[in-house]
Amino acid sequence: MFTTLLLLGAFLLSTCAALTVPKRALSFYAPRAAACPATPLVRPATSLSAGETAYISSRAGPAAAGLGAWLTKTNAGFSTSNLPTVALTTSGGGYRSLLTGAGVIQGLDGRDSNIGTSGLFQGLTYQAGLSGGAWLLSSFAGNNYPTITSLKNNLWTQAFEDSLLVPEYLLSAVAYAEVTNDIIAKQDAGFPPTITDPYGRLLSFQLLQGLDGGVLDTLSGLTSKSNFTSHAVPYPIITSLAVETFLGQCLPGPNATIIELHPYEFGSWDAGLSAFTPTQYLGSALSNGAPTTGTCVVNYDNLGYVLGTSSNVFNEACFAVPSPSNLGTLSGDLAAIVEAAHQLTFRDEYAIYPNPFFAYPRSSTYAAQPSLFLADGGEAGQNDPMWPLLQPERPVGVILVNDNSADTPANYPNGSSLLATYTQARAAGLTKMPAIPPVATFLAQGLNQRPTFFGCDDPAVTTLIYLPNVNYTFPSGEPTSKLQYSPSETAGMIANGVQVVTKGGDAGFPTCLACGIVKKTGEALPAACAACFAEYCYN
């Protein structure tokens, strides 16, 4: 992703150098003080939060109705009395993943398509994304879950063509002025910004429809969206990685702590942190779970900052301090904006969060650290955000895994992300992850060229419905470095994503997809399922 964005290059530097913008008296981006809640600000990672538990309980009815209706439509022989909890994940991969994943959602959404898979989205309980997948999920949820067609027509097509990252568009100068003021305001509020701040804000202008590029949108604020309050949509989870810079790391190791960011909570199940804090109060100064100043902070969880956190790869520069003189690198160019607020240091390569788990004994690895240093959720090899859904506290039975990774020279996946998750799950004692073959086997058997069901015959594991990016109708292996898409390219990528979830329009695949979802329920299955399992189940 880092090399992908090099094209921003000298334009950002020249634009920022040319801007002399007085600081606005008010910025809606800056964190601000607020009264602390009566409820605990830190809790151990031993269960789901009360908020998520309540949401999932209320979502159960609509999800079961949606899944049952889709199964009945697909084949009347399916029983709908005992249905699994189903989730969807979208991998990292920049705009390639955003657009392909958007097509997958469109092909599943009964509001937005009329094909064999349409309606399954209404049966989902969870949805997760990281990096480019987090861009998609943030745009989808942050705009109150419109249809993909609506996002394409009313936001993305023009935003991706008139990209803020391309020099000839005058509107970019206006956005940079606003963003620069936001960054200075965050500094003045006592929270030194980093490169992730302008990066996330600039992305927000392309992904969020609200005032000034969605400057008012927060992750915790998703709980007030009408489709969320009516429990009409799956619960959203974004992932990032904690980097142990205090041990000399600049990149996360293979077993890096996976951070979850979702509307109710921020934290991790992983040993060494194993705690959660309310997302709404991120930025608050805490010690052993208690506020140190008597007040808390809100608005730190700006949605642009969150989606920037999940896709932050500027730490790949390692210990080189970002500098505006580093022409041709995104970190150097964005440094020109951050430098308006403070002198740049190594910390500016990371998304920085005041550590809510400071002096919290359970969070032994991080308890002595005043700040958490976060980076792209896929940097440790797990580019598909399945980890939160493999936790025993979440009873997810089936995960639709849309993998848009660029593992091959042609920018298509090769299964290495699934293998990385399998390897780390075994090491962590997570038993719900099914076995994944080596990459050589994955490629030799063409498992990256078609849907595959993993875990079919093991009742103790989650079933993975693997949906890799394949160029069915459009050359969808676009490089992550591609920052501008013409209207025809945006439409072509999304349309190809629909083909990804339908196996290129295979008329029999919706039935097989349904068979894979309900196989482990113990209910009687239509006769057609036998042939489906023979074709799609990996053994």
Side-chain angles (χ1 to χ4, degrees), residues 115-352:
I115 54 180
T117 53
S118 302
L120 178 52
F121 180 83
Q122 280 64 37
L124 301 180
T125 299
Y126 284 99
Q127 185 176 6
L130 72 79
S131 200
W135 299 356
L136 169 62
L137 181 52
S138 297
S139 190
F140 197 37
N143 292 304
N144 195 24
Y145 296 91
T147 63
I148 295 300
T149 295
S150 175
L151 284 170
K152 175 173 69 74
N153 292 342
N154 299 320
L155 178 61
W156 293 345
T157 296
Q158 181 173 348
F160 297 165
E161 181 180 30
D162 301 339
S163 174
L164 290 176
L165 308 184
V166 177
E168 61 261 30
Y169 298 109
L170 181 61
L171 287 176
S172 61
V174 175
Y176 288 129
E178 294 172 350
V179 169
T180 300
N181 283 320
D182 289 336
I183 269 53
I184 294 172
K186 186 172 182 179
Q187 173 80 29
D188 290 348
F191 300 92
T194 73
I195 288 174
T196 301
D197 286 276
Y199 173 59
R201 288 290 292 119
L202 291 173
L203 283 168
S204 294
F205 276 89
Q206 302 182 56
L207 301 175
L208 301 173
Q209 293 177 307
L211 174 73
D212 287 352
V215 71
L216 296 174
D217 291 314
T218 60
L219 182 57
S220 58
L222 296 182
T223 59
S224 66
K225 302 288 186 183
S226 61
N227 273 311
F228 190 96
T229 59
S230 63
H231 309 100
V233 291
Y235 188 76
I237 301 175
I238 290 171
T239 63
S240 182
L241 294 176
V243 183
E244 297 177 3
T245 55
F246 50 90
L247 296 180
Q249 290 185 357
C250 60
L251 300 173
N255 62 341
T257 300
I258 295 177
I259 301 292
E260 297 183 5
L261 304 96
H262 41 95
Y264 290 116
E265 288 194 314
F266 168 104
S268 179
W269 302 96
D270 296 353
L273 199 156
S274 189
F276 287 94
T277 191
T279 302
Q280 181 180 359
Y281 297 101
L282 282 171
S284 300
L286 306 179
S287 179
N288 195 18
T292 61
T293 63
T295 60
C296 286
V297 168
V298 295
N299 210 46
Y300 201 93
D301 63 324
N302 175 272
L303 190 54
Y305 190 62
V306 169
L307 67 90
T309 297
S310 183
S311 57
N312 168 43
V313 293
F314 307 113
N315 59 311
E316 291 183 9
C318 279
F319 297 105
V321 175
S323 170
S325 64
N326 294 335
L327 296 177
T329 68
L330 180 60
S331 61
D333 296 329
L334 294 181
I337 297 178
V338 178
E339 195 175 50
H342 63 248
Q343 184 174 353
L344 293 154
T345 67
F346 166 69
R347 74 184 294 278
D348 289 305
E349 295 178 357
Y350 297 87
I352 301 295

Side-chain angles (χ1 to χ4, degrees), residues 32-54:
R32 61 183 185 272
C36 294
T39 52
L41 284 164
V42 176
R43 69 171 187 89
T46 55
S47 64
L48 297 181
S49 69
E52 181 180 345
T53 298

Side-chain angles (χ1 to χ4, degrees), residues 414-508:
N414 66 4
S416 58
S417 174
L418 269 63
L419 183 60
T421 299
Y422 173 60
T423 300
Q424 293 305 317
R426 292 187 66 185
L430 294 179
T431 60
K432 292 170 60 179
M433 180 68 186
I436 302 297
V439 170
T441 302
F442 217 96
L443 295 176
Q445 296 188 12
L447 304 182
N448 65 330
Q449 296 293 315
R450 59 177 177 81
T452 302
F453 305 164
F454 294 97
C456 283
D457 299 318
D458 186 348
V461 303
T462 300
T463 298
L464 304 185
I465 307 292
Y466 185 62
L467 301 169
N469 179 24
V470 178
N471 55 336
Y472 289 105
T473 59
F474 192 83
S476 56
E478 296 283 11
T480 315
S481 57
K482 185 177 175 63
L483 304 178
Q484 182 183 20
Y485 282 74
S486 69
S488 62
E489 289 172 325
T490 293
M493 290 288 289
I494 293 174
N496 188 76
V498 175
Q499 298 301 304
V500 167
V501 78
T502 61
K503 196 195 172 190
D506 186 328

